[in-house]
Amino acid sequence: MPRDTDFGHYNTVIREEEVVRVAHFDCFSGISGDMVLGAVIDAGVPADAIRAALDSLGLPIQLEVEHVKRCGFAATKATVEAADQEDYRFLPDVEAILAKGALTPKQRELATAIFRKVAGAESVAHGMPLERVHFHEVGALDSIADIVGAAVGLDLLGVEKFTSSPVPTGSGTVKCAHGIMPVPTPGTAELLKGVPLAPSVIKTELTTPTGAAILTTVVTEYTATPVMTIERIGHGSGTKDFIEQPNLLRLMVGTAAPERGQTEVDTVAVLETNLDDIAPEVIGFCTERLFACGALDVFAVPIQMKKGRPGVLLSAICAPDKVSELEAILFRETGTFGVRRTTATRAKLQREAVTVGTPWGAVRAKRGWRADGFTVLTPEYEDCARIAREHNVPLRDVFAAVARA
């Protein structure tokens, strides 16, 4: 019986007669928080709506919007005017600021998720517990405004799915709170685990931690050319003006619908490690922790290792934004010395949660289908087992009743 898996609220069920509203980040010149903010405004989100949300935070910040050109191309430049502050902020400080703002639950959830993603990356990069991580650049007033403004703007776009091109990070070095660091900085590199990168000849930081955090929080598929019908295009300008290329983030907004017989496709990360000299119970406990943290699937395969030792290949499949969290669990729980990771493109059925009637009561199930008419129905094991126990009937009879429904 296949494991029933939760694939996250960003994935969208698509019926043949329906279309899905999508937005595609074309990051040919990288991505930053202010570029996202400029792009969503250029794509039609009212700047006043974002200003109202930022004003509600009660911070001394002001959003300025202007029309600029980068290498001759028109774009919108969003700039947050804020005083420099020397005090560092911790994640609870930022969450308290978000709690005071007049944001919708979805906007607050998205902004919080972005900040927590940054905190997780910094925790790994600096080797300290999450609660002790203090934000440097990302905790500054202008970065808080960039993230909150981007969360509000992306919500107001009204799209159901975000995709992105491969991401160039730039090259060379950049000066940050910890001194001169190579590009990408450790925090940005951690955020971009599992994300396909693109080469760049620009000797500067093209993708910032804020931009990487926003991107990896909302994007579910990385593709150079999205399958979509474009309705609007927004250009968000970066601060610098390059000679080699326009310093722009292009945001395409439109609709997509599957072709006849087409399945959904997304990008996943595959983590695996070879284990020997480890108790089976430890592998079982690690598997539970991986699933609890959001793994899409976890499985163990017996293997033969060097010197004839029997071992286990433990594999976990996850969304790209879960790589750092799941890797931490694998290292902590198994004591392994290394975790391999690869990126894979996954074809999957479109799906929806349904309730199926049986002679003994209702059973939750997941229905999957393709546009060519193929369907499959998988019942929730726990519901079927509960009914089998309560009515003293064979479990296989409950499964059969669901299949006949």
Side-chain angles (χ1 to χ4, degrees):
M1 180 66 63
R3 175 178 287 274
D4 180 51
T5 320
D6 180 8
F7 291 91
H9 67 278
Y10 285 112
N11 293 327
T12 307
V13 172
I14 310 171
R15 298 182 186 277
E16 186 177 1
E17 67 273 11
E18 294 178 344
V19 295
V20 178
R21 297 202 58 77
V22 299
H24 178 74
F25 293 98
D26 186 7
C27 307
F28 66 90
S29 198
I31 182 171
S32 62
D34 60 333
M35 292 170 79
V36 174
L37 198 50
V40 296
I41 293 172
D42 203 56
V45 173
D48 286 343
I50 296 177
R51 284 195 184 95
L54 296 181
D55 291 343
S56 71
L57 299 177
L59 301 175
I61 54 179
Q62 185 175 351
L63 175 63
E64 299 292 341
V65 178
E66 60 180 323
H67 299 292
V68 299
K69 287 189 177 181
R70 293 289 183 260
C71 290
F73 292 97
T76 295
K77 178 73 176 76
T79 304
V80 175
E81 301 290 346
D84 293 333
Q85 293 195 8
E86 297 181 358
D87 294 337
Y88 294 137
R89 291 182 176 85
F90 294 83
L91 182 60
D93 301 325
V94 175
E95 292 181 340
I97 292 174
L98 299 180
K100 294 189 299 183
L103 310 177
T104 68
K106 185 176 180 181
Q107 293 165 359
R108 184 175 292 105
E109 177 187 357
L110 178 53
T112 301
I114 295 170
F115 277 109
R116 287 179 178 173
K117 186 171 289 293
V118 174
E122 292 294 329
S123 171
V124 174
H126 297 293
M128 62 176 60
L130 187 68
E131 62 274 9
R132 293 181 56 194
V133 171
H134 53 75
F135 295 118
H136 296 285
E137 287 87 352
V138 179
L141 291 175
D142 55 348
S143 294
I144 292 175
D146 283 343
I147 291 177
V148 174
V152 173
L154 293 174
D155 175 54
L156 294 179
L157 280 178
V159 302
E160 301 160 90
K161 179 180 180 181
F162 291 91
T163 65
S164 172
S165 66
V167 182
T169 61
S171 59
T173 60
V174 63
K175 184 177 181 180
C176 60
H178 296 283
I180 303 297
M181 296 297 297
V183 174
T185 61
T188 301
E190 187 68 30
L191 286 162
L192 292 176
K193 279 184 176 180
V195 175
L197 304 183
S200 174
V201 298
I202 305 294
K203 295 291 185 180
T204 191
E205 183 181 43
L206 295 181
T207 296
T208 66
T210 301
I214 294 170
L215 192 76
T216 54
T217 300
V218 300
V219 168
T220 57
E221 179 183 349
Y222 293 89
T223 175
T225 306
V227 179
M228 64 183 296
T229 300
I230 299 173
E231 296 176 351
R232 292 173 285 158
I233 300 177
H235 292 96
S237 171
T239 301
K240 298 178 181 179
D241 200 356
F242 305 135
I243 298 175
E244 299 90 341
Q245 65 192 44
N247 188 17
L248 302 174
L249 171 67
R250 183 162 60 173
L251 181 64
M252 303 177 184
V253 183
T255 59
E259 298 175 359
R260 185 70 179 174
Q262 185 181 8
T263 52
E264 289 189 72
V265 177
D266 66 0
T267 302
V268 294
V270 181
L271 308 178
E272 59 182 17
T273 184
N274 294 1
L275 304 171
D276 63 357
D277 192 24
I278 185 171
E281 294 85 355
V282 173
I283 296 176
F285 183 78
C286 181
T287 297
E288 292 178 7
R289 297 297 303 271
L290 291 168
F291 275 123
C293 190
L296 304 178
D297 202 2
V298 182
F299 54 94
V301 178
I303 57 175
Q304 185 171 355
M305 300 176 64
K306 61 185 179 182
K307 300 181 180 180
R309 295 197 302 268
V312 172
L313 171 63
L314 182 61
S315 302
I317 301 174
C318 65
D321 63 347
K322 289 290 185 179
V323 168
S324 60
E325 296 177 68
L326 267 61
E327 277 188 349
I329 292 174
L330 286 169
F331 280 114
R332 183 177 67 247
E333 297 297 339
T334 69
T336 184
F337 274 68
V339 176
R340 299 180 297 277
R341 60 172 179 265
T342 56
T343 300
T345 301
R346 178 182 63 160
K348 59 183 182 179
L349 295 178
Q350 300 155 40
R351 70 207 66 201
E352 67 177 346
V354 297
T355 300
V356 178
T358 73
W360 309 282
V363 170
R364 293 173 299 164
K366 182 169 291 182
R367 186 176 75 89
W369 73 91
R370 284 168 50 96
D372 60 4
F374 173 80
T375 62
V376 63
L377 186 69
T378 302
E380 288 275 9
Y381 165 76
E382 294 297 341
D383 279 12
C384 293
R386 174 181 53 79
I387 285 178
R389 295 187 190 99
E390 290 177 354
H391 296 272
N392 195 28
V393 295
L395 180 63
R396 63 178 183 273
D397 289 356
V398 183
F399 286 153
V402 174
R404 291 192 299 268

